Amino acid sequence: MERVGIMGGTFDPVHYGHLVTAEEARCEFRLEKVIFVPAGQPPHKTTSQISDPKHRYAMTRMAITTNPYFQISSLEMERGGISYAIDTIRQVTGLYPSAKIYFITGADAVLEILNWKNVEELLSLCYFIAATRPGYRLEGLKENIFYMEVPALAISSSEIRRRVREGKPIKYLLPEAVEDYINKHGLYRH
Ligand code: NAP
């Protein structure tokens, strides 16, 4: 049975922690591909808190080019409105009706899953891979939620944004093309 990973996140900006997470999940769960789906409008954030989806999509597209198993989808951005995972997973199961779907995202986000829209249906349609940095063990996860330690997740988007704002270097935290994009478009300076 085909296994497809859906990498859900705001990716503001995408960094090596995300890329390592996706690759680790691909290998550990034997996924044929991992599709990055930048959230259009994450349910728990306001538009003023996040960068324009077109920037986040462009940076993510650049970041994944060197991995033949990685793809990107604009389905959440195109759908418009709030990006509920249930709508994304329904769309994905329509595209891959016989595949096992794994939704990969940060453990902090997964810890809130019981508050997500249509959570029972969501958990019946896909597995979850909750990625966290070592030392943050998650207890009592539901049956189809897997936990994965990713040392590279010491890198975080908020830390990168803070460093740009403070004029500190972000080299080696994310792909060079993404760093160039941030500089060219003046992202995160304020
Ligand atoms: P977030 O709350 O900004 O992130 C929580 C933590 O998880 C942060 O440390 C974040 O690090 C990390 N993280 C996020 N995505 C990750 C990924 N793919 N791999 C590894 N670490 C990741 O989370 P978010 O990005 O806004 O949301 C995560 C996903 O859950 C999105 O697809 C969002 O649409 C979905 N979501 C759905 C619902 C719902 O359906 N009701 C509610 C909440 C979230 P970084 O900041 O470094 O990324």
Side-chain angles (χ1 to χ4, degrees):
M1 187 185 267
E2 192 183 12
R3 294 157 171 256
V4 175
I6 299 297
M7 183 73 172
T10 307
F11 304 128
D12 194 19
V14 65
H15 53 67
Y16 281 130
H18 297 130
L19 298 173
V20 172
T21 298
E23 182 65 0
E24 190 74 13
R26 183 183 75 77
C27 296
E28 197 172 321
F29 293 86
R30 302 190 310 280
L31 309 176
E32 268 88 46
K33 61 177 111 177
V34 177
I35 306 172
F36 283 65
V37 182
Q41 178 56 54
H44 55 311
K45 294 174 182 168
T46 62
T47 20
S48 60
Q49 285 176 306
I50 55 173
S51 306
D52 191 310
K54 77 166 191 280
H55 288 313
R56 295 184 285 108
Y57 181 89
M59 291 188 280
T60 308
R61 188 172 44 74
M62 289 173 176
I64 64 168
T65 49
T66 54
N67 190 321
Y69 299 103
F70 288 177
Q71 295 178 10
I72 184 165
S73 167
S74 58
L75 66 82
E76 287 199 352
M77 291 167 48
E78 280 165 15
R79 201 167 59 226
I82 295 178
S83 307
Y84 291 110
I86 184 65
D87 299 327
T88 303
I89 293 301
R90 281 185 190 142
Q91 264 181 279
V92 171
T93 47
L95 293 170
Y96 300 94
S98 55
K100 268 191 184 183
I101 308 295
Y102 291 75
F103 191 94
I104 311 157
T105 194
D108 289 353
V110 175
L111 283 173
E112 294 292 318
I113 202 167
L114 293 179
N115 300 322
W116 290 18
K117 189 179 164 195
N118 297 29
V119 62
E120 289 309 328
E121 182 189 349
L122 190 57
L123 289 166
S124 74
L125 288 177
C126 68
Y127 296 92
F128 274 78
I129 302 174
T132 186
R133 64 187 70 98
Y136 287 79
R137 250 215 116 66
L138 303 182
E139 304 297 341
L141 289 180
K142 286 190 162 257
E143 208 173 292
N144 44 355
I145 303 180
F146 302 101
Y147 162 80
M148 193 177 71
E149 282 190 355
V150 182
L153 273 180
I155 302 172
S156 77
S157 299
S158 53
E159 169 70 5
I160 290 172
R161 294 194 301 271
R162 189 181 63 75
R163 292 182 73 86
V164 173
R165 208 165 47 240
E166 294 176 357
K168 292 183 174 161
I170 54 171
K171 202 177 253 322
Y172 311 125
L173 298 176
L174 34 61
E176 225 167 281
V178 177
E179 184 187 353
D180 292 345
Y181 187 97
I182 290 170
N183 291 334
K184 185 173 162 206
H185 294 270
L187 301 182
Y188 313 127
R189 286 195 192 148
H190 305 292

